[in-house]
Amino acid sequence: LLLYAQASTIDIQRATAAAQLAATAIDSARQVAQLHLHAEQIEERTRLREIQVSRNLIRGVIDSVPMGLALIGNDGLILAANRALSDLFGFEPAALVGMHYSAALGPWHESPAGRSFRSGATERFRRTMLRPDGAQVLQEIASFPLFDAGGRPHQVVEVWEDITERVALQTQLVRAEKLAAIGQLAASIAHEVG
């Protein structure tokens, strides 16, 4: 009575039809919201699957590299390591992650990674060591700093390469060149004496 000057009657059929339309609209809106939610969930699962595939691909590539690789934080903690490096020290790659450099790979303050954090430059170092199988190998260790936005090294990639064979071949080559030079000298002296 307050809104209308005269009392009006309610048409029950129209009110019922309007209520049914409203209920159908609300149900349709709920179904659309559920479809959006399902689409977002499917999209998120697809993204996670793509990330996992990409991560597995990168892990496969890194583990197939024959040189040892380690990602090291500025506190000396090993953040990632590949199979070649973990095999060199007799660990599983996952076991190296989270270990301090000194506990797994050698003295931190003498390491190329430690030096790279101090100098901000690539560092190289040679180290003779025993493998878990007892063989003595010569490793060339190089560290490459990764810089943050302020230009300071925040992580270092360290690469371990077994150069035992290469050094042995270079030594043999130097010996062969010396013997060839001695042979030429001897031939020259024999020629002069003759």
Side-chain angles (χ1 to χ4, degrees):
L1 281 176
L2 295 175
L3 297 176
Y4 300 103
Q6 58 183 0
S8 62
T9 60
I10 297 176
D11 186 353
I12 298 295
Q13 274 185 321
R14 282 187 173 173
T16 303
Q20 287 175 345
L21 283 174
T24 302
I26 290 171
D27 188 49
S28 295
R30 181 187 57 76
Q31 289 176 356
V32 167
Q34 283 181 333
L35 287 174
H36 281 293
L37 178 64
H38 287 319
E40 288 174 3
Q41 289 172 344
I42 289 170
E43 189 176 308
E44 181 65 20
R45 282 194 301 264
T46 302
R47 255 194 319 268
L48 289 174
R49 213 172 308 134
E50 289 171 353
I51 290 170
Q52 188 63 40
V53 166
S54 181
R55 179 180 290 154
N56 290 343
L57 176 65
I58 291 169
R59 170 51 73 191
V61 168
I62 289 173
D63 277 342
S64 69
V65 173
M67 294 175 283
L69 298 172
L71 180 64
I72 301 159
N74 60 7
D75 53 1
L77 289 181
I78 300 169
L79 305 174
N82 74 343
R83 172 74 49 199
L85 185 66
S86 63
D87 287 348
L88 180 64
F89 288 93
F91 290 103
E92 283 296 314
L96 278 174
V97 175
M99 291 180 77
H100 193 272
Y101 192 99
S102 295
L105 307 179
W108 170 243
H109 63 281
E110 297 173 11
S111 71
R115 288 193 239 169
S116 280
F117 279 115
R118 290 189 296 276
S119 71
T122 298
E123 298 285 339
R124 293 189 185 280
F125 180 73
R126 285 190 176 180
R127 175 177 162 193
T128 302
M129 58 182 289
L130 291 176
R131 286 193 317 226
D133 63 6
Q136 187 172 351
V137 293
L138 179 61
Q139 292 284 330
E140 183 171 74
I141 309 161
S143 61
F144 305 94
L146 304 174
F147 300 98
D148 62 14
R152 294 174 303 278
H154 69 102
Q155 293 175 338
V156 167
V157 174
E158 203 171 74
V159 179
W160 292 62
E161 183 180 9
D162 183 347
I163 60 169
T164 309
E165 280 187 43
R166 184 173 61 188
V167 170
L169 289 173
Q170 286 173 342
T171 303
Q172 287 177 358
L173 180 62
V174 168
R175 278 191 207 135
E177 288 174 349
K178 283 181 182 177
L179 288 174
I182 290 171
Q184 285 178 348
L185 180 62
S188 174
I189 291 172
H191 178 71
E192 289 297 322
V193 169

